[in-house]
Amino acid sequence: MSDASLNTSTAQTGEAEFGDFFALLKPRVMSLVVFTALVGLLAAPVGVHPIVGLAAILFIAVGGGASGALNMWWDADIDRVMKRTRGRPIPAGKVTEGEAFAFGMTLSVMSVVMLALASNFVAAGLLAFTIFFYVVIYSMWLKRWTPQNIVIGGAAGAFPPMIGWAVATGGISVESVLMFTLIFMWTPPHFWALCLFMKSDYEEAGVPMLTVTHGRKSTRKHILVYTILLAPLAIGAAFTSIGGPVYLAVALVLNALFLKGAIDIWRRDEVQAEADQYRTEKKVFRLSLYYLFGHFTAILLQATLSGYGLGGWG
Amino acid sequence: MSLSKQHEMHKRRFSRNLGLGIVLAAFVALVFGLTIAKVSNEDFSVPTDEVGS
């Protein structure tokens, strides 16, 4: 608590720089949103005008960023406590909570309206639901209430490829739901691996993370179970219209590596982990980033190849 | 001392204004591009006044 008051008194100038507002949009998360939405858009069987596609991706990115700003507004109290988030614009005293709220709300409404005008109402509706889900369902409700917060909340990060697909097709299909499921099932092991080595942060903030409520041993087991469930889904997507031989090869390699990592995490205990400063957990967390990037790059490759008549299973 | 404080504040304000200016200009260009893309689409048709005649 004393940390919080110290931090807020340092630089509450009310004169934030442009970069401070940009930081509210969570640029790193936004880059993942842009990439997965772009893959969803390009993997769709229907083409869109490049300008419409560019505008749609931009508005999806802005909508995702706006939900990030609203999340920072709501979570400002716990962001002040956690080491990882102490440098964010609100706890650092660069942007006031009111400014962040106004900024997030304005961009949310603007991005949804502009996406509806640029593409269609299905895509805009999905974007609106994503923002609502991330801010209200995840941030306001689940995050501080249940250790399954990241499991259900992960859905918010899984929507972008579905929105990209809807921009092109105007609807929802098995393939877009599969892309959603891929991110949805990937989020828990990815985030729990991070929780294992960001040790005391969530405990101090009072966020009921699985590591806090069920212990580290159980978290390690959960990571393994989710990775096992994720593998057939990720590999199975190879046999749909977004997959093909290239995707299958990438999925087989990445899932084998991810499964091995999850087994390694499961077999370790805290004594071993502390002895090598969570080397395996950090390795698996990094691998999880390559895992998602690899799968979506493979989907993109398949879509590009099919443009030359080389995609799919012939 | 107050001069340097003023200077810092102006720097922050300038960064914000410049950023906002660039974003607004890009937004105008994007909406213009979107309009061109939409009206040059085959599905787009100019309403005729045949109904009234």
Side-chain angles (χ1 to χ4, degrees), chain B residues 4-23:
Chain B
S4 84
K5 278 206 165 172
Q6 276 281 81
H7 178 68
E8 174 62 23
M9 191 189 73
H10 282 130
K11 234 174 73 182
R12 282 162 180 269
R13 207 173 276 179
F14 177 74
S15 132
R16 215 170 56 200
N17 292 343
L18 180 72
L20 186 63
I22 293 169
V23 168

Side-chain angles (χ1 to χ4, degrees), chain A residues 15-18 49 51 117-118, chain B residues 12-13 15-16 19 33 37-38:
Chain A
E15 288 289 349
E17 282 181 45
F18 182 74
H49 192 288
I51 303 278
L117 293 172
Chain B
R12 282 162 180 269
R13 207 173 276 179
S15 132
R16 215 170 56 200
K38 292 265 179 192

Side-chain angles (χ1 to χ4, degrees), chain A residues 18-135:
Chain A
F18 182 74
D20 298 324
F21 281 99
F22 186 67
L24 279 178
L25 303 177
K26 298 193 177 180
R28 269 196 297 182
V29 178
M30 210 158 70
S31 65
L32 190 72
V33 168
V34 167
F35 177 62
T36 54
L38 183 71
V39 173
L41 178 76
L42 296 176
V46 189
V48 289
H49 192 288
I51 303 278
V52 174
L54 173 79
I57 295 296
L58 258 169
F59 297 135
I60 296 169
V62 171
S67 64
L70 290 172
N71 165 271
M72 284 199 207
W73 158 72
W74 184 259
D75 278 346
D77 57 337
I78 50 176
D79 281 354
R80 286 187 186 106
V81 182
M82 298 204 294
K83 264 192 270 156
R84 187 171 66 90
T85 53
R86 225 173 264 172
R88 285 178 175 175
I90 301 175
K94 290 170 179 166
V95 176
T96 65
E97 289 178 29
E99 281 173 336
F101 175 73
F103 186 62
M105 283 304 284
T106 309
L107 289 187
S108 296
V109 173
M110 204 202 79
S111 61
V112 171
V113 171
M114 286 309 296
L115 187 63
L117 293 172
S119 59
N120 55 67
F121 285 111
V122 176
L126 281 171
L127 180 65
F129 184 69
T130 306
I131 298 169
F132 169 78
F133 197 92
Y134 187 59
V135 178

Side-chain angles (χ1 to χ4, degrees), chain A residues 147-169:
Chain A
Q148 297 301 316
N149 48 16
I150 203 64
V151 178
I152 310 161
F159 276 114
M162 263 183 103
I163 306 174
W165 183 279
V167 165
T169 63

